[in-house]
Amino acid sequence: MTIEPVTVPLVEARHLVKHFPVRGPGFFARAREVVRAVDGVSLQVAPGEIVALVGESGCGKSTVGRLLVRLLDPTSGDVLFDGESIFALGPRELRAARRRFQIVFQDPDASLDPRLTVGQSVAEGLEIHRLARGRALRDRVADLLAQVGLLADHAARYPHELSGGQKQRVGIARALAVEPRFIVLDEAVSALDVSVQAQIVNLLLDLRARRGLAYLFVSHDLALVSQIADRVAVMYLGEIVEEAPADRLFAKPLHPYTQALLAATPVPDPERTRQRLLLPGEPPSAIDPPPGCRFHPRCARAIERCRIEAPARREIATENRRATCHLIDAG
Ligand code: SF4
């Protein structure tokens, strides 16, 4: 499913910047350096759209996910949800707004309280937001468990009695309980077996079809992304370097970094072959990113200009895509 230009975004990140101060040893040490985890990210997610945010570990994609649901405050920039800044909300407004955007993490154990049964965990959000109680609450929990493919009996079990895939389903049921419109899935299926991954991906697609949910699918797994995303944004060292409808990006990546990432990924379609490109070395430090194009020390196509001048974002309007590279012509 390809969604053409976003007109009314549900979620909009505007020039998001998140720098983390790095303190030296000692209690009174002052922060002299900053990790530039996110450095000017703009991104939109339309209602019902699945946008994947991909890149190597440490590129800043999880930080973007946390900023979009206000688990972190930005250094600068803004996030609009339905046209309203989520950082302008007071504590009471934020608590109410949290119903509309949720996050599911990679490790379900981190979000499940081992002392609570599955039923109590799923009911928690419904109780906090006073959405149901008594018999209606129990029915709602049973319905949510059914929606994520669990049995009503699972409500009485504790997290340690469940498999990893079952725990992740509970995490998704918890997120769904408050009827959000947008969910950040932060590597939410990365730790699961391939067969369980496929089940959860089908579940997410089914929930999108039934409820019109939008997702930001944060992942380093491009094969998985190709199965679920409408649009893909590729991050490198705190910046989005390419963004395109998923089918176009996988068929013809434009940015040398995207090309290298895809070349390192198994191709699901045996008819298609890709020239293997080499992506040498580790990403440079986000404390002191290289001048010019941040990718230039690893780019096989770098020219002298790349070392000096940061490339501007080029829009290829006819294909609804954009990329940040000196070698790409706008069109
Ligand atoms: Fe490579 Fe230069 Fe393009 Fe950066 S701007 S991706 S270094 S060719």
Side-chain angles (χ1 to χ4, degrees):
M1 173 174 163
T2 298
I3 293 182
E4 288 301 331
V6 177
T7 45
V8 186
L10 176 67
V11 184
E12 182 176 8
R14 287 189 180 169
H15 314 293
L16 270 184
V17 172
K18 182 65 185 175
H19 293 172
F20 294 101
V22 184
R23 294 192 190 282
F27 186 74
F28 295 106
R30 303 209 15 215
R32 282 204 215 108
E33 296 179 313
V34 291
V35 174
R36 305 162 81 92
V38 176
D39 231 358
V41 162
S42 294
L43 186 70
Q44 297 183 346
V45 184
E49 188 182 27
I50 303 178
V51 175
L53 192 55
V54 306
E56 291 165 290
S57 161
C59 69
K61 56 191 190 301
S62 288
T63 305
V64 171
R66 283 163 170 76
L67 288 165
L68 292 193
V69 294
R70 203 176 152 178
L71 286 186
L72 290 172
D73 284 339
T75 305
S76 63
D78 207 350
V79 173
L80 308 187
F81 190 93
D82 251 350
E84 254 189 280
S85 167
I86 62 170
F87 298 111
L89 300 174
R92 187 184 294 185
E93 294 164 307
L94 178 62
R95 208 173 312 122
R98 284 209 181 282
R99 266 192 70 188
R100 296 182 287 159
F101 43 83
Q102 292 282 305
I103 186 164
V104 178
F105 296 105
Q106 176 173 8
D107 178 7
D109 287 320
S111 55
L112 294 181
D113 186 333
R115 296 163 303 176
L116 297 184
T117 64
V118 166
Q120 288 166 331
S121 272
V122 175
E124 206 170 38
L126 291 164
E127 289 171 317
I128 289 170
H129 292 281
R130 300 198 181 123
L131 298 175
R133 57 185 190 166
R135 177 70 191 259
L137 180 65
R138 286 193 296 279
D139 289 350
R140 186 87 189 92
V141 169
D143 179 47
L144 283 159
L145 293 179
Q147 283 195 42
V148 298
L150 293 172
L151 303 171
D153 289 355
H154 284 111
R157 298 200 199 162
Y158 286 89
H160 74 269
E161 297 176 273
L162 305 178
S163 68
Q166 286 171 332
K167 279 189 267 194
Q168 198 55 290
R169 285 168 195 262
V170 176
I172 294 170
R174 265 172 66 82
L176 290 175
V178 292
E179 300 184 354
R181 296 174 62 204
F182 172 62
I183 303 180
V184 172
L185 298 151
D186 185 5
E187 301 277 11
V189 296
S190 304
L192 305 176
D193 293 344
V194 174
S195 63
V196 183
Q197 269 186 355
Q199 289 170 20
I200 302 266
V201 164
N202 287 337
L203 168 67
L204 294 170
L205 289 170
D206 182 48
L207 289 168
R208 185 262 288 270
R210 282 193 282 132
R211 292 181 167 215
L213 279 171
Y215 305 119
L216 182 80
F217 192 80
V218 177
S219 180
H220 67 278
D221 185 340
L222 290 169
L224 197 58
V225 163
S226 70
Q227 295 168 35
I228 192 167
D230 300 315
R231 207 149 49 83
V232 181
V234 181
M235 272 190 87
Y236 185 77
L237 220 55
E239 299 176 332
I240 291 180
V241 295
E242 180 162 7
E243 189 187 333
D247 49 357
R248 290 179 190 149
L249 184 123
F250 283 102
K252 191 178 169 220
L254 297 181
H255 194 281
Y257 178 61
T258 317
Q259 291 168 354
L261 271 187
L262 290 188
T265 302
V267 186
D269 179 355
E271 300 277 301
R272 276 158 57 192
T273 55
R274 290 197 186 106
Q275 201 188 347
R276 192 146 182 98
L277 299 178
L278 215 53
L279 186 55
E282 296 291 314
S285 162
I287 293 177
D288 186 20
C293 173
R294 291 184 177 187
F295 185 53
H296 87 252
R298 302 170 80 194
C299 181
R301 297 170 65 195
I303 53 177
E304 191 50 35
R305 183 182 175 196
C306 306
R307 291 174 235 286
I308 303 157
E309 185 188 330
R313 195 166 87 154
R314 310 284 206 272
E315 296 277 343
I316 299 105
T318 49
E319 296 191 22
N320 184 26
R321 65 192 301 180
R322 45 207 69 85
T324 308
C325 172
H326 288 309
L327 304 184
I328 296 168
D329 293 326

